[in-house]
Amino acid sequence: MKKALPLVLALLVPMSAVTPGGVGAASTPAPAGTGGAVASGDPLATAAGLAILRGGGNAVDAAVATALALAVVYPEAGNLGGGGFALVRMGGELSALDFRETAPARARPDMYLDAQGKPVENASLVGPLAAGVPGSPAGLWELQRRFGRLPWPKVVEPARRLAADGFRVGRYLHDGLGREENRKLLLRFPESARVWLPNGEPPALGSVLRQPDLAATLGRYAEHGPQGVVTGAVAAAVEKASRAHGGVLTAADLAAYKPAWRQPLTAEAFGWKLASMPLPSSGGVILGQTLGMLEKLGWEKLPRFSADRDHLLAEVFRHAFADRFLLGDPATTKATEAQLLAPAWIARRAAEIDLRHATASAQVQSWPGATAAAAVSGSTETTHLSVVDRDGNLVALTTTLNGLFGCGLWVPGAGFFLNNEMDDFATAPGRPNLFGLIQGEANAVGPGKRMLSSMSPVIAWKGEEAYALGGRGGSRIPTHTIAVLLNLLVDHDPLQAALDRPRLHHQWLPDRLEAEPDALAPETGAELERRGHTLQVSTTTAKVHAVHRLPGGRVEAASDPRGSGSGGVVDPDP
Ligand code: GLY
């Protein structure tokens, strides 16, 4: 513990720097409407989804078109070379599609360790050795095949056109490419630098960026489905680029990948029904445990913005993330969702919580390394989109390359980045991943395994009213998505206000409570410190995008003001 102190202190901002409030700056809500709504991390992608809804597509058609558009205009996280989860409610029926990456056939538990068994720096983050087998090509196709209404090529076309005709480089992409850590990553690979840092700099702001390789890949995808990407010239290009840079990913891995339909997790809390993602997402378990414990402890009756409420939320997050340590691929997990979501287990965990004092994380779980503090990077990768159509069908879809621009390798001849999702495995005992998460043996690397994720798409409904939401942001995805849900379901905030409000985050290890600026009034912060919480003011957050179907059938969309996204509706109210 002593050893970790300087790091923790360096990251702390004194509580005197926190301005009072608990409400945050309000952004202007978008108008509601009737024809469907889309919220995503980029306005061009939202527009692609809305165009599909206008053209007669349903929520799934629009979600897939939006996801593919993100692969073009939002290359840091939108992808063909990554994977994700989709939670859908079609005609009232719930389904969950897991198109998470898998470890390549040649992956081994010690592949990121040196001869002495020590982690090799950056080996699971940079370059194609860090890449899992992409799940997006087969996953997005499978989703649309099962539930979509439009012909497949129509759904791919908006993205193909954006890649072929180009789009104007906006401030967000321009600045992201120019940031030192991203520049350094992309400059390691001549192929990536050629496209994204011509002459060593990002494409000029406002210039038109065309991606002919990606347009050709999307053309093949439109014509042949996933076979156009995971076999033939595109798959060969992936294998060649991977080999050239020390990776183990092969064309055979790509061809063998299969998405999996899974049974969504369901729960009831605060008078609402909820659906979330099962393993290999940890998000659904964290959501179910958190809401279950909060309800058991009477959280909703405590005054809003009070130290009592914030203390309880932090403690519940701490306990839920401690259980996350046990989770992994459904085939190798040390605890099942059924065990961790059993009412008796939730009651036992809730009973461990001291309502007046923070419990040290080391005491919440018996793992011997639990006193070690781990650095949490400022990374907030991944991207999320939410869609509702005029019939009330809902999609919450989160997709990722893991780190920004994945492993940094842009595959020439294919036109997309490969992910660095292998870092979401426990790549070495006790080593925190990109998000500072300490993970257990259940999540060790193994060929064909899916790495544990924090992506947390959620659908909540009560009668005719419903929400679909989720976010980007690594380990903060579950906590920030839950915070927004509580604003909506318990405190009945308007949609945009629920996203605007500052949020808290605790992930068990490191043992500290992150608060966005304005999240805590000074007296609340001081009281939380008195109770034993180590506070850190943090501007590193998740970005949550949500849609809402109101009773009566009108719809609205909202995107997180912390990011570059947008929400829109078809047929807005006059
Ligand atoms: N790569 C981030 C996550 O899946 O949690």
Side-chain angles (χ1 to χ4, degrees):
M1 193 63 184
K2 223 172 187 173
K3 224 169 140 201
L5 208 55
L7 167 69
V8 175
L9 285 178
L11 290 166
L12 290 179
V13 177
M15 282 315 297
S16 55
V18 184
T19 50
V23 286
S27 32
T28 314
T34 51
V38 180
S40 86
D42 187 278
L44 289 171
T46 296
L50 290 172
I52 289 289
L53 288 177
R54 267 188 219 102
N58 63 17
V60 164
D61 293 316
V64 172
T66 306
L68 290 173
L70 286 166
V72 181
V73 301
Y74 197 83
E76 64 179 50
N79 66 80
L80 280 178
F85 301 131
L87 192 63
V88 302
R89 188 164 182 255
M90 299 292 289
E93 291 292 312
L94 292 166
S95 307
L97 183 66
D98 163 4
F99 56 102
R100 182 72 162 163
E101 298 92 325
T102 53
R106 285 167 57 205
R108 296 290 173 263
D110 60 355
M111 67 192 283
Y112 301 113
L113 306 180
D114 66 16
Q116 283 72 47
K118 297 247 160 37
V120 178
E121 202 182 345
N122 284 332
S124 61
L125 286 168
V126 176
L129 192 64
V133 183
S136 292
L140 295 175
W141 183 84
E142 171 63 18
L143 182 63
Q144 203 274 342
R145 180 201 66 75
R146 176 151 172 206
F147 288 116
R149 183 190 287 157
L150 296 181
W152 170 247
K154 266 206 157 156
V155 175
V156 182
E157 182 57 12
R160 195 206 59 78
R161 222 172 29 237
L162 280 166
D165 300 349
F167 65 97
R168 289 199 185 279
V169 174
R171 167 70 59 196
Y172 188 82
L173 176 58
H174 180 267
D175 291 357
L177 287 167
R179 270 207 304 281
E180 198 40 36
E181 67 272 22
N182 298 332
R183 266 173 56 87
K184 251 170 75 185
L185 176 67
L186 299 181
L187 287 171
R188 292 174 86 125
F189 304 100
E191 305 87 332
S192 311
R194 182 180 58 78
V195 176
W196 297 102
L197 296 167
N199 310 313
E201 296 300 327
L205 197 61
S207 62
V208 174
L209 180 72
R210 294 187 182 83
Q211 301 173 67
D213 282 355
L214 180 53
T217 296
L218 287 167
R220 291 187 174 105
Y221 194 32
E223 195 175 345
H224 304 293
Q227 297 310 308
V229 182
V230 303
T231 64
V234 179
V238 170
E239 177 167 329
K240 185 171 165 208
S242 173
R243 275 187 204 285
H245 295 279
V248 294
L249 193 60
T250 63
D253 287 324
L254 266 73
Y257 180 88
K258 290 210 175 2
W261 288 104
R262 302 204 184 271
Q263 191 61 36
L265 300 179
T266 52
E268 288 195 33
F270 306 113
W272 287 76
K273 292 188 184 346
L274 294 119
S276 60
M277 200 64 208
L279 291 174
S281 168
S282 61
V285 170
I286 293 171
L287 175 93
Q289 285 202 341
T290 299
L291 297 185
M293 282 189 259
L294 290 178
E295 202 169 40
K296 196 140 211 68
L297 294 166
W299 181 85
E300 77 283 10
K301 297 188 201 86
L302 299 170
R304 200 171 192 194
F305 310 126
S306 65
D308 282 346
R309 250 199 185 192
D310 291 341
H311 168 74
L312 213 50
L313 187 62
E315 290 304 297
V316 163
F317 283 157
R318 183 199 305 277
H319 283 71
F321 271 83
D323 279 353
R324 187 189 190 280
F325 185 76
L326 303 168
L327 300 175
D329 180 289
T332 56
T333 187
K334 297 281 183 224
T336 64
E337 296 104 322
Q339 286 170 319
L340 295 183
L341 293 173
W345 180 251
I346 289 178
R348 185 172 146 185
R349 276 303 206 191
E352 286 169 17
I353 290 174
D354 182 330
L355 301 181
R356 303 294 303 170
H357 300 102
T359 304
S361 290
Q363 290 170 20
V364 178
Q365 217 271 344
S366 58
W367 177 61
T371 53
V376 180
S377 87
S379 303
T380 61
E381 296 69 11
T382 302
T383 189
H384 177 85
L385 61 99
S386 297
V387 183
V388 57
D389 65 24
R390 65 171 64 246
D391 300 319
N393 299 310
L394 293 143
V395 180
L397 187 155
T398 314
T399 183
T400 186
L401 289 166
N402 194 30
L404 297 177
F405 306 102
C407 74
L409 175 63
W410 177 260
V411 181
F416 53 79
F417 282 109
L418 284 178
N419 66 83
N420 59 354
E421 216 70 61
M422 294 295 282
D423 190 65
D424 270 347
F425 281 117
T427 53
R431 179 191 158 271
N433 76 356
L434 183 60
F435 311 106
L437 291 166
I438 305 277
Q439 318 198 70
E441 205 189 309
N443 191 29
V445 179
K449 277 181 71 177
R450 283 158 151 89
M451 55 295 281
L452 188 63
S453 172
S454 297
M455 293 186 285
S456 311
V458 183
I459 293 176
W461 69 100
K462 177 157 82 172
E464 280 192 338
E465 190 175 8
Y467 296 98
L469 65 158
R472 74 175 257 170
S475 55
R476 298 169 184 89
I477 295 174
T479 51
H480 285 215
T481 302
I482 289 166
V484 172
L485 262 178
L486 291 170
N487 291 339
L488 293 167
L489 309 189
V490 176
D491 293 314
H492 312 294
D493 277 343
L495 188 64
Q496 188 65 59
L499 297 186
D500 292 352
R501 278 191 204 291
R503 305 188 276 255
L504 302 177
H505 171 74
H506 201 302
Q507 63 180 49
W508 176 54
L509 290 173
D511 189 347
R512 62 171 186 245
L513 175 57
E514 279 183 23
E516 280 193 275
D518 287 358
L520 301 171
E523 60 275 17
T524 311
E527 173 59 21
L528 290 169
E529 283 180 326
R530 265 195 298 281
R531 293 183 186 200
H533 292 281
T534 300
L535 290 180
Q536 181 197 344
V537 176
S538 171
T539 52
T540 305
T541 70
K543 278 100 187 161
V544 179
H545 305 299
V547 293
H548 180 200
R549 181 175 201 261
L550 294 92
R554 285 165 65 249
V555 293
E556 57 180 345
S559 102
D560 202 309
R562 299 156 186 80
S564 59
S566 79
V569 297
V570 179
D571 304 333
D573 294 343

